Amino acid sequence: MRGTMKKDLVIIGGGPAGLAAAAAARETGVEDLLILERDQHLGGILNQCIHNGFGLHTFQEELTGPEYAGRYVEKVRSLEIPYKLNSMVVDLRAEGSRKIVTVMNREEGMYEIEARAVILAMGCRERPRGALNIPGYRPAGIYSAGTAQRYVNREGRMPGREAVILGSGDIGLIMARRLTLEGAKVKLVAEIQPYSGGLQRNIVQCLDDFGIPLKLSHTVVDIRGKERVEGVTVARVDENLKPIPGTEEEISCDTLLLSCGLIPENELTNGLGTSLNPVTGGPFVNESLETDKEGVFACGNVLHVHDLVDYVSEEAAQAGRNAAAFLQGNLSGRGREIPLVGTDGVRYTVPSSIDVSRMNETQIVRFRVGNAYRNAYLEVRCGGELLLSLKKPVLAPGQMEQVLLKKADLAGRKDLKEITFRVRTQV
Amino acid sequence: MYDVIVIGAGVTGCAIARELARFRWKTAVLERASDVCEGTSKANSGIAHAGYDAKPGTLKAKLNLEGSRMMEALSKELDFPYRRNGSLVLCFEETGKTELERLRAQGLANGVEGLEILDRKQLREKEPGVSDQAVAALYAPTGGIVCPFDLTLAFAENAAANGVEFHFTTQVTHMEKIPQGYRLDTSRGSYETRAVVNAAGVYAGELHNQISGKKIRIIPRKGEYCLMDKSVGNLVSHTLFQLPTAYGKGVLVTPTVHGNLLAGPTAVDVEDPESVNTTREGMDEVFKRAAMSVNGLPVKQVITSFAGLRAHEEGNDFIIGMVQDAPGFFDAAGMESPGLTCAPAVGKYVAAMVRTYLPAQEKSDFIPSRKGIPHIASASDAERKRLIGENPLYGNVVCRCELVTEGEIVDAIRRPLGATTLDGVKRRTRAGMGRCQAGFCLPKTLEILARELGQDIGQIRKNNGDSYFLTGFDKDGL
């Protein structure tokens, strides 16, 4: 038990985002910082992602999840950044410019940390069965794909013998392969959308290579089994995603894995009174990845769900540098924030606004599209003027897109009201 | 030889067991499931009804009022969450107002206090979250909400603390009259007892009919529910019922005692007394009807849905009492709504009847109170610090959504009638009841269960039978 501790910077979350943010903040000169991690290890969910494919952008190497995390953990240790494990942040609030972080753990009980700046890096969670409104019984054998992944990869335990996977998000695809390699039979991956939510490379490497069927525009409409799952009913859906009567197919299985989307974990963010973007589930941030509470930054999957961890690390490092600038008084006060607006297929943008006077020479804008497109153009417009047009052979919701804005293109425009991002399909 | 055996460890059976525990009898509760609160008691609205619904003169009317009046004091004595949030019966058509008046008169006749008809303006002042469609309402200030799990557990734990035996996974398969009383054959051997209390929920009719020539019929009536996230739990503060309309019986929308928002139930008679599955039609109906009561039902915030089976009796009343042609065999059957509210009163009522049949002295050492598991989530900062100081496991958060710690889970397992399954831990601590629905805490909770029970995680079940979570080791099948 102790009184209030003071820190310049508190980073909530010791996964890939928190680690990269902490390292960058330290390298930019922040001495007094602390990482709070609720799990018993640093590295977050990467610890259970034992497949490879991580780090191609960051390290120009193919690493496994634990290896990728390990590089950052090593960096954090060599920079002597303090961290606390098994420490749950139970409350986050702002009192004037001070941020009060309430932490709980076994050794120290419950106490408050007063921080000048906070980086939100809490990650995301999987959408559960209940949120999908799948009718049927509630037996054992229904897992989110990530829970199953933890069992297979960390505990060496099988969650089932015959599985159907609902949702073709990346974790679901990866788990289809993993379960197969570990001796289970994956009978089907069903995806309610007419396109997959995962990366194309995962469809090829995880399903096609193992002969696992993927049924698009299909969903689970019933779960049977009172104690353990005995089977599911899969049906085709119409363009409104409603099951089409008469298309039902019963499949016997003892396991249903769900890979139906990830939800940023912003319950703490709510405590700050920060507004959340209903599209991403993450806070609105400006070019500095700063939320509408000054000195509170967000990065990684708590901000918006990423496809590759490399982009998480890059974004988090930017948040870390900006938090350092804020603490050092190098982040000038907020001026005129120009909204960035996604339209015509662009679902959202991160950041959601830009202060041209505060932006770097270039600014990465990340977003996802809401549909699958071929040979389309990504366009950026300023008022009526076309700033940028990029030809894209393939655009898919499973893949995060990014464009680079140049300060030179924006500075000096007095009439700048908003910048729009859109998909143009006609050539 | 037992003096009294109660069949069924739902809220009714456990409430009766707790009252039987006051007397010098050898008493046991037989339960076919692996835990208390595994049937109708775990899947209902969690409402402590004010008591205007039942026809005056019925058992339902009498016991509802008594139960409602006992709830507050009992919640302190047995330490379970209960709150008098008041209830509103909404009326959506001007013509419905006469029905509201009739309900009010019925409530008055039943002895319900404080009933008031609210006009459109008064209704909105009382409940700003109510939908624009509602034109008037009957307000019952004594309506409340209660945690059905905790209520059942509180009765059971207190009964056990006072010497009542609980035998789980013990299903009564056959009953026979013997000279001294009854012989009950079960899945775990035979029991002999002087008196039997039949509190077997949807199976009460079947058991009754084994012993009596005067048959009764209990119909499982399914009710489906949707539970919404705590972020929308304050959409309304009262329990909103609906007057039945030409379109159906109506569903309720209510905050739960833990701060979620609950909508339901449907009402469909089913054949199979095990069919607790939800259906597309049922969920659609819940959404459609609940949307009439509030402005903007937050359907995107649904975190889980479930179905329960009411033990509906053909004559629409409880059947409580000694069976005419079976001396010493007592029914507590047809315990549908407001059965949860009535449970405390039913307990007293049945115990008194048994005592008339089988005279017994009161125990002088009866322990009337029970202390529940301290919950970090609802504790003050000072209490949290004290709890962690006394037991560091209270500082280790296992379920992040509901803020449940290892200390609570260990307590849930070690206490009398402790949890042996994941659902048992969930009902006692709320671990896994939050928005991620155990996605993160499942592995941790299984690990704690295995450690505390001295088992392998592969042996831990969700609830009953073959509901194992794990099927073996990696590469087993290769």
Coordinates of all heavy atoms in Angstrom, one line a residue, chain B residues 228-269:
Chain B
M228 N -27.6 -7.2 -22.3 CA -26.8 -6.1 -23.0 C -25.7 -5.6 -22.0 O -25.8 -5.8 -20.8 CB -27.7 -5.0 -23.5 CG -28.4 -5.4 -24.8 SD -29.9 -4.5 -25.1 CE -31.1 -5.5 -24.4
D229 N -24.7 -5.0 -22.6 CA -23.5 -4.6 -21.9 C -23.9 -3.5 -20.8 O -24.8 -2.8 -20.9 CB -22.6 -3.9 -23.0 CG -21.2 -3.7 -22.4 OD1 -20.4 -4.6 -22.5 OD2 -21.0 -2.5 -21.9
K230 N -23.0 -3.5 -19.9 CA -23.1 -2.5 -18.8 C -23.1 -1.1 -19.2 O -23.6 -0.2 -18.5 CB -22.1 -2.8 -17.7 CG -22.3 -4.0 -16.9 CD -21.3 -4.2 -15.8 CE -21.7 -5.3 -14.8 NZ -20.6 -5.5 -13.8
S231 N -22.5 -0.9 -20.4 CA -22.4 0.5 -20.9 C -23.8 1.1 -21.2 O -24.0 2.3 -21.3 CB -21.5 0.6 -22.1 OG -22.0 -0.2 -23.1
V232 N -24.8 0.2 -21.4 CA -26.2 0.7 -21.6 C -27.1 0.3 -20.5 O -28.3 0.3 -20.6 CB -26.7 0.2 -23.0 CG1 -25.9 0.8 -24.1 CG2 -26.6 -1.4 -23.0
G233 N -26.5 -0.1 -19.4 CA -27.3 -0.6 -18.2 C -28.2 0.5 -17.6 O -29.1 0.2 -16.9
N234 N -27.8 1.7 -17.8 CA -28.6 2.8 -17.2 C -29.5 3.5 -18.2 O -30.0 4.5 -18.0 CB -27.6 3.8 -16.6 CG -26.7 4.4 -17.6 OD1 -26.8 4.0 -18.8 ND2 -25.8 5.3 -17.2
L235 N -29.8 2.7 -19.3 CA -30.8 3.3 -20.3 C -32.1 3.5 -19.6 O -32.8 4.5 -19.9 CB -31.0 2.2 -21.4 CG -31.8 2.7 -22.6 CD1 -31.1 3.7 -23.4 CD2 -32.2 1.5 -23.4
V236 N -32.5 2.6 -18.7 CA -33.7 2.9 -17.9 C -33.3 2.5 -16.4 O -32.4 1.7 -16.2 CB -34.9 2.0 -18.3 CG1 -35.4 2.5 -19.6 CG2 -34.5 0.5 -18.4
S237 N -34.0 3.1 -15.5 CA -33.7 2.7 -14.1 C -34.8 1.8 -13.5 O -34.6 1.1 -12.5 CB -33.5 4.0 -13.2 OG -34.7 4.7 -13.3
H238 N -36.0 1.8 -14.1 CA -37.1 1.0 -13.6 C -37.2 -0.3 -14.5 O -36.7 -0.3 -15.6 CB -38.4 1.7 -13.6 CG -38.4 3.0 -12.8 ND1 -38.0 4.2 -13.2 CD2 -38.9 3.2 -11.5 CE1 -38.1 5.1 -12.3 NE2 -38.6 4.5 -11.2
T239 N -37.9 -1.2 -13.9 CA -38.3 -2.4 -14.7 C -39.5 -2.1 -15.5 O -40.5 -1.7 -15.0 CB -38.6 -3.6 -13.8 OG1 -37.4 -3.9 -13.0 CG2 -38.9 -4.8 -14.6
L240 N -39.4 -2.2 -16.9 CA -40.5 -1.8 -17.7 C -41.2 -3.1 -18.2 O -40.7 -3.8 -19.0 CB -40.0 -1.0 -18.9 CG -39.1 0.3 -18.6 CD1 -38.8 1.0 -19.9 CD2 -39.8 1.2 -17.6
F241 N -42.4 -3.3 -17.8 CA -43.3 -4.3 -18.3 C -44.2 -3.7 -19.4 O -44.2 -2.5 -19.5 CB -44.1 -4.9 -17.2 CG -43.4 -5.6 -16.1 CD1 -43.1 -5.0 -14.9 CD2 -42.9 -6.9 -16.3 CE1 -42.4 -5.6 -13.9 CE2 -42.2 -7.6 -15.3 CZ -42.0 -6.9 -14.1
Q242 N -44.9 -4.6 -20.1 CA -45.8 -4.1 -21.1 C -47.2 -4.7 -20.8 O -47.3 -5.9 -20.5 CB -45.3 -4.5 -22.5 CG -44.0 -4.0 -22.9 CD -43.5 -4.5 -24.2 OE1 -43.9 -5.6 -24.7 NE2 -42.5 -3.8 -24.8
L243 N -48.2 -3.9 -21.1 CA -49.5 -4.5 -21.0 C -49.6 -5.4 -22.3 O -49.2 -5.0 -23.3 CB -50.6 -3.4 -21.2 CG -51.2 -2.8 -19.9 CD1 -52.4 -2.0 -20.4 CD2 -51.7 -3.9 -19.0
P244 N -50.3 -6.5 -22.1 CA -50.4 -7.3 -23.3 C -51.2 -6.5 -24.4 O -52.1 -5.8 -24.0 CB -51.3 -8.5 -22.8 CG -51.0 -8.5 -21.3 CD -50.8 -7.1 -20.9
T245 N -50.9 -6.7 -25.6 CA -51.6 -6.0 -26.7 C -52.1 -7.1 -27.7 O -51.8 -8.3 -27.5 CB -50.7 -5.1 -27.5 OG1 -49.7 -5.9 -28.2 CG2 -50.0 -4.1 -26.6
A246 N -52.8 -6.6 -28.7 CA -53.2 -7.6 -29.7 C -52.0 -8.3 -30.4 O -52.2 -9.4 -30.9 CB -54.0 -6.8 -30.8
Y247 N -50.8 -7.7 -30.2 CA -49.7 -8.4 -30.9 C -48.9 -9.4 -30.0 O -48.0 -10.0 -30.4 CB -48.7 -7.3 -31.4 CG -49.4 -6.3 -32.2 CD1 -49.7 -5.0 -31.7 CD2 -49.7 -6.6 -33.6 CE1 -50.3 -4.1 -32.5 CE2 -50.3 -5.7 -34.4 CZ -50.7 -4.4 -33.9 OH -51.3 -3.5 -34.6
G248 N -49.4 -9.5 -28.8 CA -48.7 -10.5 -27.9 C -48.6 -10.1 -26.5 O -49.1 -9.0 -26.1
K249 N -48.0 -10.9 -25.7 CA -48.0 -10.8 -24.3 C -47.1 -9.7 -23.8 O -47.3 -9.1 -22.7 CB -47.6 -12.1 -23.7 CG -47.7 -12.2 -22.2 CD -47.4 -13.6 -21.7 CE -47.0 -13.5 -20.2 NZ -45.7 -12.9 -19.9
G250 N -46.1 -9.4 -24.6 CA -45.2 -8.3 -24.1 C -43.9 -8.9 -23.4 O -44.0 -9.9 -22.9
V251 N -42.8 -8.1 -23.5 CA -41.6 -8.5 -22.8 C -41.2 -7.3 -21.9 O -41.7 -6.2 -22.0 CB -40.5 -8.8 -23.8 CG1 -40.9 -9.9 -24.8 CG2 -40.1 -7.5 -24.6
L252 N -40.2 -7.6 -21.0 CA -39.8 -6.6 -20.1 C -38.4 -6.1 -20.6 O -37.7 -6.8 -21.3 CB -39.7 -7.1 -18.7 CG -38.7 -8.2 -18.3 CD1 -37.3 -7.7 -18.1 CD2 -39.2 -8.9 -17.1
V253 N -38.1 -4.9 -20.2 CA -36.7 -4.3 -20.3 C -36.4 -3.8 -18.9 O -37.2 -3.1 -18.3 CB -36.7 -3.1 -21.3 CG1 -35.3 -2.5 -21.3 CG2 -37.1 -3.6 -22.7
T254 N -35.3 -4.3 -18.4 CA -34.9 -3.9 -17.0 C -33.4 -3.8 -16.8 O -32.7 -4.5 -17.5 CB -35.5 -4.9 -16.0 OG1 -35.2 -4.5 -14.7 CG2 -34.8 -6.3 -16.2
P255 N -33.0 -2.9 -16.0 CA -31.6 -3.0 -15.5 C -31.5 -4.2 -14.6 O -32.5 -4.6 -14.0 CB -31.4 -1.7 -14.7 CG -32.7 -1.3 -14.3 CD -33.7 -1.8 -15.3
T256 N -30.4 -4.9 -14.7 CA -30.1 -6.0 -13.7 C -29.5 -5.4 -12.5 O -29.0 -4.3 -12.5 CB -29.3 -7.1 -14.3 OG1 -27.9 -6.6 -14.4 CG2 -29.8 -7.6 -15.6
V257 N -29.5 -6.2 -11.4 CA -28.9 -5.8 -10.2 C -27.4 -5.5 -10.3 O -26.8 -4.8 -9.5 CB -29.3 -6.8 -9.1 CG1 -28.4 -7.9 -9.0 CG2 -29.5 -6.1 -7.7
H258 N -26.8 -6.1 -11.4 CA -25.4 -5.9 -11.6 C -25.1 -4.8 -12.6 O -23.9 -4.6 -13.0 CB -24.7 -7.2 -12.0 CG -24.7 -8.3 -10.9 ND1 -23.9 -8.2 -9.8 CD2 -25.5 -9.4 -10.7 CE1 -24.2 -9.2 -9.0 NE2 -25.1 -9.9 -9.5
G259 N -26.1 -4.2 -13.1 CA -25.9 -3.1 -14.0 C -25.9 -3.3 -15.5 O -25.6 -2.5 -16.3
N260 N -26.3 -4.5 -15.9 CA -26.6 -4.8 -17.3 C -28.0 -4.4 -17.7 O -28.8 -4.0 -16.8 CB -26.4 -6.3 -17.7 CG -24.9 -6.7 -17.5 OD1 -24.5 -7.1 -16.4 ND2 -24.2 -6.6 -18.5
L261 N -28.3 -4.5 -19.0 CA -29.7 -4.3 -19.4 C -30.2 -5.6 -19.9 O -29.5 -6.3 -20.7 CB -29.7 -3.2 -20.5 CG -31.1 -2.7 -20.9 CD1 -31.7 -1.8 -19.8 CD2 -31.0 -1.9 -22.2
L262 N -31.4 -6.0 -19.5 CA -32.0 -7.3 -19.9 C -33.3 -7.1 -20.6 O -34.1 -6.3 -20.2 CB -32.2 -8.2 -18.6 CG -32.8 -9.6 -18.8 CD1 -31.7 -10.5 -19.5 CD2 -33.2 -10.2 -17.5
A263 N -33.5 -7.8 -21.7 CA -34.7 -7.8 -22.4 C -35.3 -9.2 -22.6 O -34.5 -10.1 -22.9 CB -34.6 -7.1 -23.8
G264 N -36.5 -9.4 -22.5 CA -37.2 -10.7 -22.7 C -38.3 -10.9 -21.7 O -38.6 -9.9 -21.0
P265 N -38.9 -12.0 -21.5 CA -38.7 -13.2 -22.3 C -39.9 -13.4 -23.2 O -40.9 -12.8 -23.1 CB -38.9 -14.3 -21.1 CG -39.9 -13.7 -20.2 CD -39.7 -12.2 -20.3
T266 N -39.6 -14.3 -24.2 CA -40.7 -14.8 -25.0 C -41.5 -15.8 -24.2 O -41.1 -16.1 -23.1 CB -40.1 -15.5 -26.3 OG1 -39.2 -16.5 -25.9 CG2 -39.4 -14.5 -27.2
A267 N -42.5 -16.4 -24.8 CA -43.3 -17.4 -24.1 C -43.8 -18.4 -25.1 O -44.7 -18.1 -25.9 CB -44.4 -16.8 -23.3
V268 N -43.1 -19.6 -25.2 CA -43.5 -20.6 -26.2 C -43.5 -21.9 -25.4 O -42.5 -22.3 -24.8 CB -42.5 -20.6 -27.3 CG1 -42.9 -21.8 -28.3 CG2 -42.5 -19.3 -28.1
D269 N -44.6 -22.6 -25.5 CA -44.7 -23.9 -24.8 C -43.9 -25.0 -25.7 O -44.0 -25.0 -26.9 CB -46.1 -24.4 -24.7 CG -46.9 -23.6 -23.7 OD1 -46.2 -22.8 -23.0 OD2 -48.1 -23.7 -23.6

